[in-house]
């Protein structure tokens, strides 16, 4: 699978069921959310802005997209967690299965971030993003065209320890189809 | 990583935190359990018996082991789920990264089963086991020597649909070390 196909398969509305494991305390968290992934044009001003921020030529971007989410955690049912960010893949010209993913806003910290991705032969997309005081690793893969899984780890900045692991089952919301 | 190393790293006592996602109902299940993985000798009678059952030469077995578990689900706290099974890897002589895993007893159904495993270059162990009316897929990988993750899927027998997905964080219990 190529990155273009992976992103095209990701476009749409997804119903996500996510379990967080807080490893030190053996604590569970349950989150239900809706995720929308929408393709953006390469000349979208948000895409141009992020490329400028990182001093990267916007014409090297491949299939940028916007991801929005709205979710509810069992920790606080009144607390609707929602957000949105623009993601811009910049493939490595020498190895199309690897590259950088520019993001307007990260998961672990609400700042812009650059991650390194890799798409393996079996179709697993792996993303490693390093922040000042932590690192995030994500693995995303499709079980079927309408079901994808995501494992996210929050690591200490040294990369040695894992503080939180979460697992999401994401089912395509076909009620939104035309 | 080779299978021998993967199994050697798996030996020990693990504290497991598992989340089950029942996809059709968007239902969560939380299970805490203790898993013990113990190496067996190749001439252990349990190993010989399983090989006989499948008409396989026991001398082709690599690093057989016994896995035992005792867990508690949030669905019924009085229901302690425990069990034990012997697992016998039989590597493919032409491709050491693949092979069959004979098991005394499966997860999805309590009968003996043969799965097909594959150990990828990045150290992910994948096991596919087909039963009469269902199939199980497991992915296991190490984040650190003392932390491993497991994603288990229960699929329909056609392999097209996924009914249940679960995610386990398994932390080595160092209090058991010598």
């Amino acid at each position: 699978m190529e990155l273009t196909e992976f992103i095209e398969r990701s476009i749409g509305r997804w119903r996500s069921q996510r379990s967080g494991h807080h490893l030190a305390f053996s604590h569970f968290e349950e989150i239900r959310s809706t995720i929308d992934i929408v393709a953006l044009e390469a000349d979208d001003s948000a895409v141009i802005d992020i490329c400028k921020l990182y001093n990267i030529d916007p014409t090297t971007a491949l299939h940028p997209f916007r991801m929005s989410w709205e979710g509810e955690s069992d920790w606080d049912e009144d607390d609707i967690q929602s957000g949105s960010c623009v993601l811009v893949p910049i493939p490595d010209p020498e190895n199309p299965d690897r590259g950088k993913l520019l993001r307007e806003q990260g998961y672990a910290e609400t700042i812009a971030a650059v991650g390194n991705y890799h798409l393996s032969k079996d179709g697993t997309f792996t993303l490693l993003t390093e922040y000042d005081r932590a690192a995030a690793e994500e693995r995303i893969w499709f079980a079927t065209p309408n079901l994808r899984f995501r494992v996210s780890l929050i690591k200490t900045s040294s990369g040695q320890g894992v503080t939180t692991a979460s697992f999401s089952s994401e089912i395509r919301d076909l009620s939104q189809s035309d």
Side-chain angles (χ1 to χ4, degrees), chain A residues 127-152:
Chain A
L127 177 69
L128 186 67
T129 310
E130 292 179 16
Y131 300 94
D132 275 356
R133 286 162 300 181
E137 185 188 305
E138 289 202 289
R139 290 185 180 208
I140 304 174
W141 71 96
F142 286 87
T144 74
N146 296 324
L147 174 63
R148 54 180 229 169
F149 295 112
R150 178 196 298 259
V151 171
S152 306

Side-chain angles (χ1 to χ4, degrees), chain A residues 17-168:
Chain A
Q17 189 178 353
R18 180 153 72 96
S19 294
H21 292 179
H22 299 263
L23 299 178
F25 306 102
S26 179
H27 200 105
F28 289 93
E29 184 179 6
E30 297 176 355
I31 303 114
R32 286 190 178 83
S33 61
T34 301
I35 298 171
D36 284 299
I37 301 177
V38 177
L40 294 178
E41 298 295 330
D43 62 357
D44 188 290
S45 63
V47 175
I48 305 286
D49 286 351
I50 297 171
C51 289
K52 271 189 191 157
L53 185 65
Y54 292 105
N55 212 14
I56 284 173
D57 178 0
T59 64
T60 62
L62 181 76
H63 220 312
F65 56 98
R66 182 186 295 276
M67 196 165 79
S68 316
W69 60 93
E70 188 167 286
E72 220 174 77
S73 162
D74 66 328
W75 280 17
D76 182 356
E77 291 189 1
D78 295 331
D79 177 31
I80 301 285
Q81 300 177 323
S82 64
S84 169
C85 73
V86 172
L87 294 126
V88 182
I90 309 289
D92 181 337
E94 290 174 16
N95 183 344
D97 295 333
R98 293 181 179 277
K100 293 192 184 301
L101 184 68
L102 314 184
R103 61 207 303 174
E104 214 179 10
Q105 211 176 46
Y107 286 169
E109 308 194 8
T110 54
I111 51 166
V114 182
N116 288 294
Y117 71 79
H118 169 227
L119 188 64
S120 72
K121 295 271 174 266
D122 71 353
T124 302
F125 179 84
T126 305
L127 177 69
L128 186 67
T129 310
E130 292 179 16
Y131 300 94
D132 275 356
R133 286 162 300 181
E137 185 188 305
E138 289 202 289
R139 290 185 180 208
I140 304 174
W141 71 96
F142 286 87
T144 74
N146 296 324
L147 174 63
R148 54 180 229 169
F149 295 112
R150 178 196 298 259
V151 171
S152 306
L153 308 182
I154 306 294
K155 300 179 166 187
T156 55
S157 55
S158 67
Q160 291 301 304
V162 177
T163 56
T164 308
S166 79
F167 176 62
S168 305

